[in-house]
Every structure is written in C-alpha cells, then in structure tokens.
Amino acid sequence: MTQFGTPSPAAAPGAIPEGDPLAAHADRSLLIVDDDKPFSTRLARAMEARGYQVQVAESVAEGVSLVDAHPPAFAVIDMRLADGNGLDVIARLKERRPEARGVILTGYGNIATAVTAVKLGAFDYLAKPADADEIHGTLMAQPGERADPPENPMSADRVRWEHIQRVYELCNRNVSETARRLNMHRRTLQRILAKRAPR
C-alpha cells in the first residue's frame, strides 16, 4: 500500500466504488490547503482517484481566495501554513458554506488547537502523515461519529520521532536550537537523529 492508500484495482481513476458514501454527494469538490507540495500533490491524486474534484492551495491567502470564489463541499487543511493558521480557512469556509465538511491536519501534536478547529466547524483532525483512506473516512463520517481507527497507526515512538524531525527541519537542521526548543539535551537529540525512524 502506498502512503495514501490504493483504490480497488477494478475501479477506474475517479470512479466511485459501489457502496462508497461519496456516491450520495452530488457536489464532490475538495479543497486541499497545504504548503508541503509533494504531500499535497500525492494526496490530490489519491483523492481524485476516489472520486473527488480537487483544488490545491499552498497558503492561507490562496485557500481563503478559493473558498470565496467557489466554497467547496469538503476541505483538508494543514494547521500550520507559512502565512498563518489553517483555522482561518476553516472559519471562512464555514461562513460561506456552513454544511461543508473539513479535516484539519496537524504535524505538531497540538491537541488544544485541533479541538478549536473542531469547534470552528472542522469535522475532525488527523495527525500528519495521514493517508487518503483515513482522510476519506473522516470526511464521510456523520456529525458526532468518529471515523474508524486506522488499521496500522503510527507507534508512539514514531509520532515522537516525526515531531522531532519536523522541529529539526524548522530550525534549519540546527541541533543546538532544536534541542533548546524541545527542552532536550543536545547529546540525546543527536543520538535520536542518528537512528533510523522507528516503525
């Protein structure tokens, strides 16, 4: 299975499998807002293969502009973007299209902010890297209903490792600065960075 999951081989790209809840939606427009271009490109392809009509934005400003022009039925929005907070896009979407369903993606483990996203109208939040099956399941869940838990979720060690790697990249691979921000001893951080990613 690829990172984003693979639709049934019998299904043509863009075809909706029999029994899929997306088939009940006349409007299948989906907005993806994420400044990680490789991630958003792969996710867009995977969601198009599942029957969504996808538009991609790389910033809060671009996301809000697309929402204003054509409010989508569905949205997948990264919490942290270079020019601000993805919550602003969710808030605008809910103003323009209250029934829209949104998912916030967070690679920061910031549960409090993710809960705020849900209160603003996002259906749910998922930790990055989330795959297309998880995202599709969450978008199709009914209000108050949780999507099925993933079959192979990341281990706690892997989640911690991903978080450390993200902070390390944001600090321009400066070990001392990363250790300071993580409140971690520099040598401990160096040992973690030297190891392979846990499963």
Side-chain angles (χ1 to χ4, degrees), residues 14-17 19-30 47 50-53 72-75 94 97-102 123 135-143 145:
I16 300 171
D20 191 305
L22 183 62
H25 294 268
D27 185 349
R28 296 164 189 152
S29 55
L30 168 68
M47 297 306 277
R50 283 160 178 76
Y52 292 89
Q53 293 154 351
F74 305 98
K94 284 299 172 174
R97 189 166 183 171
E99 79 281 9
R101 301 181 178 194
F123 246 46
I135 292 167
H136 176 56
T138 302
L139 288 171
M140 291 297 104
Q142 294 302 308
E145 171 185 298

Side-chain angles (χ1 to χ4, degrees), residues 31 33 57 59-65 67 72 75-78 81 83 85-95 104 120:
L31 174 62
V33 186
S59 66
V60 170
E62 191 181 353
V64 167
S65 177
V67 165
V76 179
I77 299 168
D78 195 4
L81 296 156
D83 65 337
N85 196 314
L87 297 181
D88 294 338
V89 184
I90 282 284
R92 181 62 66 89
L93 177 58
K94 284 299 172 174
E95 284 174 17
I104 279 282
L120 275 175

